[in-house]
């Protein structure tokens, strides 16, 4: 079943409806749904009565054969052992995502061919550095790589102000060299929590 009806109740005015939503997004054939994921609109709904923006979440699989990865959007409590048999391509990077806010960045990272485990370690290092400077970012995301200057850039927001910070490309390579081989047999959630558990191996 590709489509489901999601029950939505506005927390502000209690307006109630059911919204059709997809449980499979194939980016090669559904660029409009891919764009919704990248713009954080796929799991969002605006109440037609009062204008409140409502977030929701449900299981959805995103297989990207061109870039050899698959995302499985699924809440923590719904993850099961059988999930690991959902996608047969053993060469594909398999990732759980339990927070819709992480989807766009994950697509961006994996489409560019990066090891997202390395990116998360570097993001945590950037976060630690900023805290030492008494900066406390609300968000911190991978931005892009500048091949000409051999740097990798991250953007962050603090008190609604956006700024950027760069690390050398060598920083990426150093962490990558120490990273274990990718386990493509199972889905893994690679986020800040994962990085916190593994940062000691890269300091």
């Amino acid at each position: 079943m590709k489509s489901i009806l999601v029950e939505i109740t506005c927390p502000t005015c209690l307006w109630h409806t059911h919204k059709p939503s997809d449980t499979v997004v194939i980016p090669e054939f559904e660029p409009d749904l891919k764009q919704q994921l990248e713009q954080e609109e796929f799991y969002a709904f605006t109440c037609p009565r009062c204008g409140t923006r409502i977030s929701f979440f449900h299981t959805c699989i995103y297989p990207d054969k061109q870039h050899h990865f698959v995302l499985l959007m699924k809440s923590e409590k719904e993850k099961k052992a059988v999930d690991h048999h959902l996608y047969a391509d053993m060469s594909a990077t398999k990732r759980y995502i339990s927070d819709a806010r992480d989807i766009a960045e994950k697509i961006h990272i994996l489409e560019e061919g990066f090891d997202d485990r390395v990116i998360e370690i570097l993001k945590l290092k950037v976060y630690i550095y900023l805290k030492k400077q008494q900066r406390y970012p609300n968000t911190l995301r991978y931005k892009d790589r500048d091949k000409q200057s051999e740097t990798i850039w991250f953007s962050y927001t603090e008190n609604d102000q956006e700024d950027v910070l760069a690390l050398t490309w060598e920083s990426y390579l150093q962490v990558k060299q120490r990273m274990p081989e990718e386990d493509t047999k199972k889905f893994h959630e690679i986020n800040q929590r994962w990085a916190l558990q593994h940062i000691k191996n890269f300091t």
Side-chain angles (χ1 to χ4, degrees), residues 175-192:
V175 175
K176 178 64 176 174
Q177 289 171 358
R178 299 172 62 182
M179 190 66 66
E181 184 177 349
E182 177 71 48
D183 176 12
T184 58
K185 294 181 180 179
K186 296 181 178 180
F187 282 91
H188 301 276
E189 182 137 21
I190 306 300
N191 51 20
Q192 187 183 65

Side-chain angles (χ1 to χ4, degrees), residues 99-121:
D99 188 333
R101 293 171 296 183
D102 295 335
I103 299 171
E105 181 191 36
K106 189 66 68 176
I107 291 174
H108 183 33
I109 291 168
L110 295 177
E111 280 189 347
E112 293 200 359
F114 292 120
D115 187 327
D116 59 329
R117 300 172 299 169
V118 178
I119 296 295
E120 289 297 337
I121 292 294

Side-chain angles (χ1 to χ4, degrees), residues 58-112:
H58 62 75
T59 298
C60 178
I61 191 165
Y62 179 97
D64 188 326
K65 292 186 177 181
Q66 179 183 352
H67 299 97
H68 304 289
F69 70 87
V70 56
L71 307 181
L72 180 57
M73 280 65 85
K74 204 167 192 180
S75 66
E76 288 285 352
K77 64 180 181 180
E78 293 181 337
K79 292 178 182 178
K80 299 178 181 178
V82 295
D83 294 343
H84 305 303
H85 304 292
L86 285 175
Y87 198 67
D89 185 356
M90 297 306 294
S91 67
T93 299
K94 298 178 176 68
R95 293 291 181 256
Y96 275 125
I97 296 184
S98 60
D99 188 333
R101 293 171 296 183
D102 295 335
I103 299 171
E105 181 191 36
K106 189 66 68 176
I107 291 174
H108 183 33
I109 291 168
L110 295 177
E111 280 189 347
E112 293 200 359

Side-chain angles (χ1 to χ4, degrees), residues 131-185:
K131 284 191 68 176
K132 289 181 179 178
Q133 305 300 313
Q134 296 187 341
R135 306 291 300 273
Y136 302 96
N138 306 111
T139 64
L140 174 60
R141 302 289 186 191
Y142 163 74
K143 189 174 189 296
D144 56 35
R145 176 190 175 190
D146 187 333
K147 293 184 178 181
Q148 186 173 359
S149 63
E150 295 190 338
T151 51
I152 185 165
W153 289 81
F154 299 87
S155 63
Y156 64 94
T157 58
E158 182 183 15
N159 299 324
D160 296 325
Q161 298 295 315
E162 185 172 353
D163 206 343
V164 294
L165 188 147
L167 297 178
T168 64
W169 179 241
E170 183 63 27
S171 301
Y172 177 92
L173 296 178
Q174 288 175 355
V175 175
K176 178 64 176 174
Q177 289 171 358
R178 299 172 62 182
M179 190 66 66
E181 184 177 349
E182 177 71 48
D183 176 12
T184 58
K185 294 181 180 179

Side-chain angles (χ1 to χ4, degrees), residues 5-24:
L5 287 175
V6 179
E7 185 176 10
I8 294 176
T9 300
C10 177
T12 303
C13 69
L14 301 181
W15 188 82
H16 182 266
T17 190
H18 288 83
K19 180 185 184 300
S21 192
D22 289 87
T23 59
V24 179

